[in-house]
Amino acid sequence: MTPINNSTSRLNTEQKESINYNKGPLLIVAGAGTGKTFVIVEKIKHIIKNKLAQPENILALTFTEKAAAEMEERVDKALPFGYFPMWISTFHSFADKILKEEAIHIGINPSYKLLTQTESVMFLNSNLYKFKLNYFRPAGNPQKFTESLYQHFSRLKDEYISPLEYLSWAKSKQKSDLEKEEKEKIIELAYAYEQYQKLMIKHDNMDFSDLNFYLLELFKERKNILNKYKTIFKYILVDEFQDTNIAQYELIKVLTPSLTNPNLTVVGDDSQAIYKFRGASVSNILTFMKDYKNAKLISLRKNYRSNQQILDGAYRLIQKNNPDTLESKLKISKNLISQKSSPTPAEKINLIWTNDSDEEANAVVSEIIKLKEKYSYSDIAILVRANNHADSFAKTLSQKGVPYQFLGPGVLYKQPEIKDLIAYLK
């Protein structure tokens, strides 16, 4: 049996402290490029190496499948052969795994079908006339609001609001000063939410928001099952904590009650919260120290990705979010310190101000052509907020004969020649 790989020589002081601390809850505030995933992997290895827990007693949760796979691969390479598989997964996969075993205890078929967003909307459409809808099923276009209804129901479950709670709230609004039409909309939504959940269970269906919601229901209704998993998981580590939603954080709190001084480590950074539109609640990371009063706080500030010029520019911009930031509330510094050495001083950040997207694209591509004197095209990247924002850049790059590669989902089918080929085949 080979020993666990040792990579502690690469750790800085704050990273070592984060890895070695195992006396209760721990919040690691990890800025961009400070090696947070590396720290979680090293912490898992430290726990196993020092026999603080067996691999099967460690639960590591993250936000995306890609991040979970990366973490699992790193840990797997570090462990000797013969170890039991660890619980490294996304919140959804974790919930799905337990519900497949235990859902029968709350009257749910463990062989349920997990629906994608598209399938869930199609399910809504096919059952639309089983809902008591007036405003949200207009006669001229009955399916107009189905996707919005699905999104609304998903958000309710992400915030762990049950149909009963929502209906109770909607009924209380009927006595308020709201306009009659608004009251009707609210009560209509509440009954539709209740009906949607009943229909999904009746047809043995689940959507992704159901997974965390029903796992919480299972744990709260069946204490014996909750205690079973609390006994299994002696160490829980959560990556990208700023991207968790209310139901996911509630799940963590149920598994690791603050009064038990649990071995809970959460790693995140409120400045990197990007999934609020999907229900992520940045308040989770802002209130963690209140929920776990005995928690230790460690801030990782050494950045291994960018030069100081970029870090300083980003920090000045993020300061505009004060006082609603972790840095302001906890009185800590999140000003990152670059660990990259460069033979030449970093150039100043240049702001190009234009009137519209076409003008912006022309200015950026002109700048790229100038940079070609010192760099290769492969050294240059354009980052955009959303995929469709890249269209004007792609058009201008093509017009000016600048080669480019667009990295994004569904790119192949957007290429003119592929679109022509599909049209021809049709």
Side-chain angles (χ1 to χ4, degrees):
M1 191 176 281
T2 55
I4 292 177
N5 295 339
N6 190 354
S7 47
T8 53
S9 57
R10 296 159 53 194
L11 297 167
N12 62 45
T13 306
E14 293 77 22
Q15 288 174 333
K16 283 180 183 175
E17 187 182 8
S18 302
I19 290 161
N20 294 327
Y21 185 80
N22 291 296
K23 295 178 181 177
L26 170 64
L27 169 61
I28 303 172
V29 181
T34 55
K36 58 181 168 43
T37 304
F38 175 66
V39 165
I40 290 178
V41 171
E42 290 300 317
K43 192 173 182 75
I44 292 170
K45 287 159 60 178
H46 172 81
I47 293 166
I48 298 169
K49 182 181 177 183
N50 291 279
K51 298 182 179 176
L52 300 173
Q54 293 299 313
E56 61 269 30
N57 299 129
I58 302 169
L59 171 63
L61 295 169
T62 189
F63 198 71
T64 64
E65 293 286 356
K66 183 180 176 184
E70 181 187 340
M71 194 185 297
E72 191 170 19
E73 184 182 358
R74 289 195 203 179
V75 172
D76 189 52
K77 285 179 180 177
L79 293 178
F81 292 113
Y83 271 82
F84 287 99
M86 283 184 51
W87 292 70
I88 300 179
S89 70
T90 63
F91 278 91
H92 290 124
S93 297
F94 170 68
D96 186 45
K97 186 175 180 179
I98 294 179
L99 287 172
K100 285 280 197 286
E101 295 286 329
E102 316 282 4
I104 195 167
H105 294 287
I106 52 170
I108 293 174
N109 184 353
S111 301
Y112 58 80
K113 181 186 177 186
L114 187 57
L115 304 184
T116 63
Q117 178 176 333
T118 303
E119 288 171 329
S120 298
V121 173
M122 288 171 66
F123 176 79
L124 249 176
N125 282 333
S126 63
N127 290 280
L128 200 55
Y129 286 90
K130 293 177 182 176
F131 292 82
K132 293 178 182 178
L133 298 174
N134 182 23
Y135 179 86
F136 291 101
R137 193 181 58 209
N141 184 4
Q143 297 177 352
K144 179 180 179 181
F145 292 108
T146 48
E147 189 164 351
S148 298
L149 286 170
Y150 164 76
Q151 295 287 358
H152 186 64
F153 301 156
S154 293
R155 179 59 65 90
L156 288 166
K157 286 177 282 189
D158 285 343
E159 298 191 4
Y160 195 48
I161 298 169
S162 70
L164 189 63
E165 288 172 314
Y166 194 48
L167 190 55
S168 175
W169 172 83
K171 286 178 179 177
S172 71
K173 288 294 176 185
Q174 303 310 300
K175 299 173 185 176
S176 68
D177 296 329
L178 288 171
E179 294 288 334
K180 183 185 175 185
E181 187 180 12
E182 285 302 309
K183 290 178 183 178
E184 288 173 354
K185 281 189 207 175
I186 290 169
I187 202 76
E188 193 174 305
L189 277 173
Y191 280 116
Y193 178 39
E194 182 183 48
Q195 179 69 356
Y196 175 72
Q197 292 304 100
K198 284 180 179 176
L199 284 170
M200 289 285 278
I201 295 299
K202 181 182 176 182
H203 289 83
D204 297 330
N205 290 334
M206 286 263 199
D207 61 31
F208 280 93
S209 297
D210 282 323
L211 294 174
N212 292 313
F213 181 85
Y214 282 117
L215 181 57
L216 264 171
E217 293 287 279
L218 171 70
F219 282 163
K220 291 191 173 183
E221 289 182 29
R222 299 287 181 263
K223 296 298 181 186
N224 59 320
I225 295 172
L226 171 61
N227 290 332
K228 170 186 168 182
Y229 287 98
K230 282 166 74 174
T231 304
I232 291 173
F233 303 126
K234 300 187 186 305
Y235 284 82
I236 296 181
L237 304 96
V238 185
D239 194 12
E240 305 290 3
F241 184 61
Q242 75 279 351
D243 289 329
T244 55
N245 59 43
I246 289 169
Q248 289 164 341
Y249 185 32
E250 191 66 26
L251 187 59
I252 294 166
K253 288 193 283 187
V254 164
L255 284 167
T256 59
S258 59
L259 293 175
T260 63
N261 197 41
N263 288 309
L264 168 65
T265 299
V266 300
V267 186
D269 177 18
D270 58 316
S271 301
Q272 295 181 68
I274 59 172
Y275 287 110
K276 195 171 182 182
F277 70 97
R278 289 187 190 170
S281 178
V282 75
S283 64
N284 290 346
I285 196 169
L286 295 173
T287 59
F288 181 83
M289 298 300 287
K290 291 180 183 176
D291 294 333
Y292 293 88
K293 292 181 172 57
N294 296 326
K296 184 176 179 62
L297 169 66
I298 298 174
S299 181
L300 303 184
R301 294 178 55 209
K302 291 179 180 174
N303 175 284
Y304 298 91
R305 187 183 298 160
S306 308
N307 63 46
Q308 197 62 46
Q309 193 84 337
I310 288 174
L311 297 177
D312 289 344
Y315 183 71
R316 285 194 298 271
L317 191 62
I318 288 169
Q319 290 299 291
K320 306 292 183 186
N321 291 333
N322 285 338
D324 300 318
T325 63
L326 207 59
E327 184 177 35
S328 179
K329 289 181 182 294
L330 299 180
K331 309 300 180 190
I332 59 172
S333 174
K334 284 173 54 187
N335 194 358
L336 301 180
I337 304 161
S338 177
Q339 304 300 297
K340 292 188 76 172
S341 56
S342 176
T344 56
E347 295 176 22
K348 287 185 178 180
I349 297 169
N350 185 26
L351 172 65
I352 300 173
W353 185 272
T354 57
N355 294 315
D356 56 44
S357 59
D358 289 335
E359 195 176 315
E360 179 189 19
N362 274 304
V364 169
V365 174
S366 297
E367 187 68 23
I368 289 170
I369 292 169
K370 289 179 191 173
L371 290 170
K372 183 64 174 69
E373 296 173 10
K374 290 166 56 179
Y375 303 98
S376 300
Y377 284 133
S378 58
D379 295 327
I380 302 165
I382 301 173
L383 303 180
V384 292
R385 184 75 179 87
N387 287 321
N388 61 344
H389 294 175
D391 293 344
S392 58
F393 292 105
K395 178 183 170 186
T396 309
L397 287 165
S398 295
Q399 287 174 345
K400 298 201 174 184
V402 178
Y404 69 92
Q405 183 182 13
F406 179 47
L407 304 175
V411 175
L412 177 65
Y413 297 103
K414 293 180 180 177
Q415 299 306 311
E417 43 283 37
I418 301 299
K419 286 162 80 174
D420 288 346
L421 180 60
I422 291 170
Y424 174 74
L425 290 171
K426 281 183 178 178

